[in-house]
């Protein structure tokens, strides 16, 4: 019988340092009211001190995912690490995570697809397992944004949005009748490459980083918020409808919808366009802000532990972000 892939376990980890909107308002010109009204975010987490990278946040999440899946570290035969904030410029965060897990020799692939990174990784893991290349693929989505945002008046539009965190899943062979990854659909359009980006250091520039670039803050993320908002609210429902169609399902067949968490208003508009009941939509943006590649695996792990998701649950996913990239998936647990 043809092999099918399933999500066998999940885990998440958030650093303990809570940063509220009022904490940000003490650093630069913003307010709890503005942030809550525009984004729904109330607080986010930042790493506690210097020296904590994305792979460090992913490590406890990975162990939690393995435990839930009933697998040992040695069972992992491939790692996929989705992040836009790897520990260092190179090598990839996956190499660090593999080393920290003691998985010398196990392949580690870094995926650079920002907010869609987790679903891109899921597509790769699904294909590897169905093709019989690997049996147990650990996917990590983790970000340390707090060291890369500009916590000043100039950077406030972006700085209030992002937080640090990690989520992991273990993908392996499906055993149940209907369990498994049903559809994953991926998209990208570089027309939006510079609508949400970090320009510097840039390999195409000689030198890659100058004093002037630092002064202008070109090493911080820059975003055309309105343009990203418009694209997100169009593409997220479009790809969600497409994956449902390919899976032969209607919106009424979905038990839970876990959208990428960039903005509560985006989630609500996407849910309304899909016509899905509000109580089936997962939001954790209030507590964590946008953790980019980590939002969806954190959503899976929290929902599983809260009992919102369990054996037989049909879950719809949709994401949009820098690139532009966007993606959707349907998974039965
Ligand atoms: O993961 C995917 C990537 N990100 C997204 O999907 C984000 C998509 N975009 C958005 O969520 C929204 O565009 C934002 C929440 C980022 C911004 O909301 P907006 O309603 O588009 O606000 P705006 O950027 O048009 O700014 C409105 C006003 C401006 O003031 P004026 O020109 O009207 O006087 C800004 O200067 O709000 C001001 N502003 C702020 N005020 C207080 C911008 N940032 C802040 C801030 N605090 N942090």
């Amino acid at each position: 019988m043809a092999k099918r892939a399933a999500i066998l376990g999940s885990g998440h980890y958030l650093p303990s340092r809570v940063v509220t909107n009022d904490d940000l308002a003490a650093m630069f010109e913003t307010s709890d009211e503005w942030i809550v009204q525009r984004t729904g975010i109330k607080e986010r987490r930042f790493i506690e001190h210097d020296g904590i990278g994305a792979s460090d946040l992913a490590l406890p999440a990975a162990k939690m995912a393995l435990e839930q899946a009933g697998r040992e570290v040695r069972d992992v035969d491939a790692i996929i690490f989705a992040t836009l904030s790897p520990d260092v410029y190179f090598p990839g965060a996956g190499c660090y995570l593999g080393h920290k897990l003691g998985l010398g020799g196990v392949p580690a692939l870094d995926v650079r697809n920002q907010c869609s990174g987790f679903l891109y990784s899921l597509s790769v893991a699904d294909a590897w397992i169905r093709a019989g290349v690997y049996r147990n693929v650990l996917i990590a989505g983790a970000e340390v944004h707090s060291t890369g945002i500009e916590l000043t008046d100039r950077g406030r539009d972006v700085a209030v949005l992002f937080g640090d965190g990690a989520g992991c899943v273990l993908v392996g062979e499906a055993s149940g009748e209907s369990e498994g990854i049903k559809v994953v659909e991926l998209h990208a359009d570089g027309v939006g490459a510079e609508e949400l980006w970090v320009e510097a250091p840039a390999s195409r520039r000689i030198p890659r980083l100058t004093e002037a670039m630092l002064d202008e803050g070109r090493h911080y993320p820059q975003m055309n918020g309105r343009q990203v908002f418009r694209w997100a609210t169009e593409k997220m429902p479009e790809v969600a409808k497409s994956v449902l169609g390919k899976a032969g399902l209607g919106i009424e067949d979905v038990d839970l919808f876990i959208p990428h968490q960039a903005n509560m208003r985006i989630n609500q508009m996407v849910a309304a366009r899909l016509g899905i009941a509000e109580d089936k939509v997962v939001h954790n943006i209030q507590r964590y802000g946008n953790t980019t590649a980590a939002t969806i695996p954190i959503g899976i792990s929290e929902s599983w532990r809260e009992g919102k998701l369990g054996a037989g649950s049909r879950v719809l996913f949709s994401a949009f972000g820098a690139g532009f990239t966007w993606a959707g998936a349907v998974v039965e647990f």
Side-chain angles (χ1 to χ4, degrees):
M1 209 173 92
K3 286 191 176 65
R4 288 175 298 110
I7 295 178
L8 305 180
S10 63
H12 63 286
Y13 176 79
L14 281 306
S16 62
R17 184 179 161 208
V18 177
V19 177
T20 65
N21 294 342
D22 287 336
D23 293 333
L24 295 182
M27 295 182 221
F28 52 86
E29 195 58 44
T30 191
S31 66
D32 178 57
E33 193 192 356
W34 191 95
I35 301 170
V36 170
Q37 201 178 66
R38 305 279 173 140
T39 72
I41 300 166
K42 296 195 169 76
E43 58 188 42
R44 73 286 294 139
R45 305 293 181 93
F46 284 1
I47 54 167
E48 297 86 354
H49 56 79
D50 179 63
I52 300 173
S55 69
D56 297 302
L57 301 186
L59 185 62
K63 289 180 178 164
M64 197 170 159
L66 286 168
E67 195 184 325
Q68 190 180 34
R71 297 289 194 279
E72 303 292 331
V73 169
R74 64 172 178 274
D75 296 326
V76 173
D77 48 15
I79 296 168
I80 306 178
F81 202 119
T83 185
L84 64 68
S85 51
D87 298 41
V88 293
Y89 202 75
F90 74 79
C95 294
Y96 280 98
L97 178 62
H99 180 62
K100 285 168 188 168
L101 284 166
L103 287 170
V106 169
L109 171 70
D110 264 42
V111 166
R112 292 283 308 269
N113 290 75
Q114 300 72 241
C115 302
S116 311
F118 177 77
L119 294 180
Y120 267 74
S121 304
L122 193 66
S123 175
V124 174
D126 178 44
W128 274 347
I129 285 163
R130 282 193 287 109
V133 179
Y134 299 114
R135 291 172 59 92
N136 290 294
V137 180
L138 177 67
I139 302 178
E143 306 287 356
V144 175
H145 280 302
S146 58
T147 53
I149 48 178
E150 187 175 20
L151 297 163
T152 69
D153 289 356
R154 181 175 68 179
R156 66 178 184 172
D157 60 326
V158 173
V160 299
L161 303 176
F162 293 99
D164 303 340
C168 288
V169 300
L170 189 79
V171 180
E173 283 172 36
S175 47
E177 266 298 291
S178 58
E179 173 198 34
I181 299 167
K182 305 293 179 189
V183 185
V184 190
E185 187 180 307
L186 310 177
H187 297 274
D189 191 337
V191 73
E194 299 182 3
E195 301 289 359
L196 173 52
W197 67 323
V198 176
E199 181 187 1
S203 314
R204 65 187 181 187
R205 303 303 300 269
I206 305 171
R208 291 181 177 184
L209 187 63
T210 61
E211 284 292 340
M213 286 174 172
L214 289 170
D215 290 345
E216 289 160 16
R218 283 149 74 182
H219 57 304
Y220 292 122
Q222 312 290 334
M223 177 171 70
N224 179 349
R226 298 221 160 164
Q227 188 75 341
V228 176
F229 194 100
R230 204 171 306 125
W231 273 73
T233 50
E234 183 187 321
K235 295 300 179 190
M236 286 174 70
E238 187 181 286
V239 72
K241 284 179 189 165
S242 178
V243 289
L244 281 177
K246 286 180 183 170
L249 300 173
I251 194 72
E252 64 285 354
D253 300 315
V254 172
D255 297 307
L256 202 65
F257 175 41
I258 308 184
H260 168 57
Q261 310 282 312
N263 184 324
M264 178 68 95
R265 283 162 57 216
I266 294 178
N267 291 358
Q268 287 165 340
M269 280 177 77
V270 172
R273 287 181 182 182
L274 288 172
I276 190 163
E278 184 53 36
D279 63 351
K280 290 184 176 179
V281 185
V282 171
H283 306 284
N284 58 32
I285 180 118
Q286 312 92 308
R287 291 175 284 132
Y288 306 140
N290 182 346
T291 58
T292 308
T295 63
I296 291 179
I298 292 172
I300 294 172
S301 180
E302 287 193 333
S303 300
W304 214 332
R305 284 169 177 85
E306 288 163 10
K308 289 186 198 160
L309 179 166
S313 298
R314 283 200 197 112
V315 183
L316 175 66
F317 300 95
S318 166
F320 182 87
F324 295 136
T325 60
W326 63 102
V330 176
V331 177
E332 188 166 322
F333 285 77

